[in-house]
Amino acid sequence: MQKKGKFDYILLETTGLADPGAVSTMFWVDAELGSDVYLDGIISVIDAKYGMQHLTEEKPEGLVNEAARQIALGDLIIINKTDLVQHEELVNLKTAVRSINGLAKLIETQRSRVELAEVLDLHAFDGQTSEKLQERFCLAQTTEPHLDKSIVTVTFEVSGTILEEDLNLYIQNLLWEKQLKNNSGNTMEIIRLKGIVSIKEKPHQMIVQGVHELYEIEETFINWSSESERINRFVFIGRNLDKEILEEVFATTVLKQGVSNVEF
């Protein structure tokens, strides 16, 4: 950072067992670092031949499979060495990846050949791509567990305009206080959170980003249309998630609709 102005782009490669979330949160915690650079996105690379082996590796009770966590955090997922596996093997791997992360863009490659335009300038953590994010939200679906029976993608959308303090309380109860539990009594653990929301007295769409316990709400450049309904859209990726409970608590605590039966 002392050589400010001499870098066009910084590509930070972690070890195979690293948690990318711990690295990405630096850009929120360290204000000095964040003022000079911004987090563009997280790219996860999967070996097509051995990806399933890593994803099915048994871990001690309570621990998350490292490969599954890296997929859950990815904004772009590259499946490499596709020429070394049969079509059915590749389909099974892609199904497993999508069951964990239903929002990330997926690219298939051989010998790591990929266009730079596909991996640079992702703007996955800012509001510059909110229009594309809206489109991806509409395509993302709540998934069913495939391998790691606790990591899934959950999506929901609700119409209306909300207060920012109510949204903060909802997210903090989920990420910090960990007050939400699924029907089995297991605490919901968020690995990645994305959302586009309509905040009262804000003409622009607001984007919500979260990694583990950290999150931020940022204003985008996109105005809400005066002719269309304002839709709040969320994508949660994590463990022990329950779509109905997440949506119900949002409706009752943020939209103030009805009375929640969920106990905190």
Side-chain angles (χ1 to χ4, degrees):
M1 291 303 96
Q2 293 175 350
K3 299 179 181 179
K4 184 177 180 182
K6 296 186 178 181
F7 296 109
D8 295 315
Y9 201 94
I10 299 171
L11 184 61
L12 185 62
E13 183 180 6
T14 66
T15 66
L17 295 177
D19 176 5
V23 179
S24 65
T25 53
M26 289 193 310
F27 296 91
W28 286 323
V29 174
D30 192 330
E32 183 179 349
L33 179 62
S35 64
D36 288 321
V37 297
Y38 69 90
L39 180 60
D40 187 43
I42 298 173
I43 302 171
S44 300
V45 182
I46 305 171
D47 187 307
K49 188 171 180 62
Y50 298 105
M52 271 296 201
Q53 178 180 321
H54 293 307
L55 285 172
T56 54
E57 184 179 347
E58 290 291 334
K59 296 294 176 180
E61 185 68 29
L63 295 182
V64 178
N65 179 293
E66 292 92 350
R69 186 199 299 275
Q70 291 174 358
I71 290 172
L73 285 163
D75 299 294
L76 171 65
I77 298 173
I78 299 175
I79 300 180
N80 190 37
K81 302 181 184 177
T82 57
D83 54 318
L84 300 184
V85 296
Q86 299 297 319
H87 175 72
E88 186 177 350
E89 293 176 274
L90 182 59
V91 169
N92 289 337
L93 178 59
K94 289 168 64 177
T95 300
V97 169
R98 277 280 169 246
S99 74
I100 296 170
N101 188 332
L103 186 62
K105 182 179 179 180
L106 207 60
I107 296 178
E108 299 173 26
T109 63
Q110 299 176 8
R111 300 181 184 274
S112 300
R113 295 191 181 109
V114 59
E115 293 291 334
L116 281 179
E118 298 274 16
V119 297
L120 302 183
D121 297 321
L122 299 177
H123 293 286
F125 282 83
D126 59 43
Q128 291 193 34
T129 57
S130 58
E131 285 184 303
K132 292 183 179 178
L133 192 58
Q134 281 276 25
E135 295 174 6
R136 286 163 61 191
F137 276 8
C138 293
L139 295 174
Q141 301 291 327
T142 295
T143 62
E144 296 294 330
H146 185 73
L147 293 174
D148 186 324
K149 291 182 168 51
S150 60
I151 297 183
V152 293
T153 296
V154 165
T155 70
F156 70 80
E157 59 180 46
V158 288
S159 61
T161 297
I162 61 180
L163 296 175
E164 188 168 350
E165 53 263 37
D166 291 335
L167 177 61
N168 278 316
L169 184 60
Y170 172 76
I171 296 175
Q172 290 165 14
N173 283 335
L174 181 61
L175 302 188
W176 298 356
E177 306 300 332
K178 301 190 184 300
Q179 293 183 346
L180 271 67
K181 297 182 179 181
N182 62 15
N183 286 324
S184 300
N186 297 315
T187 300
M188 297 191 205
E189 178 187 340
I190 302 298
I191 296 176
R192 191 73 189 269
L193 157 66
K194 285 191 176 187
I196 290 180
V197 295
S198 170
I199 300 293
K200 188 176 181 180
E201 299 181 354
K202 296 281 188 181
H204 296 100
Q205 298 177 6
M206 307 289 286
I207 187 170
V208 184
Q209 292 273 6
V211 174
H212 296 316
E213 285 82 15
L214 294 180
Y215 78 96
E216 66 179 2
I217 303 172
E218 180 185 2
E219 192 166 1
T220 73
F221 302 108
I222 309 301
N223 279 310
W224 288 103
S225 171
S226 59
E227 300 177 355
S228 60
E229 189 177 25
R230 295 190 178 192
I231 305 293
N232 303 282
R233 292 186 170 92
F234 288 93
V235 176
F236 300 93
I237 302 174
R239 306 174 69 193
N240 308 315
L241 304 187
D242 187 304
K243 175 180 178 177
E244 292 184 0
I245 292 176
L246 285 167
E247 189 171 356
E248 178 186 356
V249 174
F250 183 86
T252 55
T253 62
V254 182
L255 292 176
K256 314 292 187 182
Q257 296 176 352
V259 179
S260 174
N261 294 320
V262 180
E263 294 184 4
F264 294 105

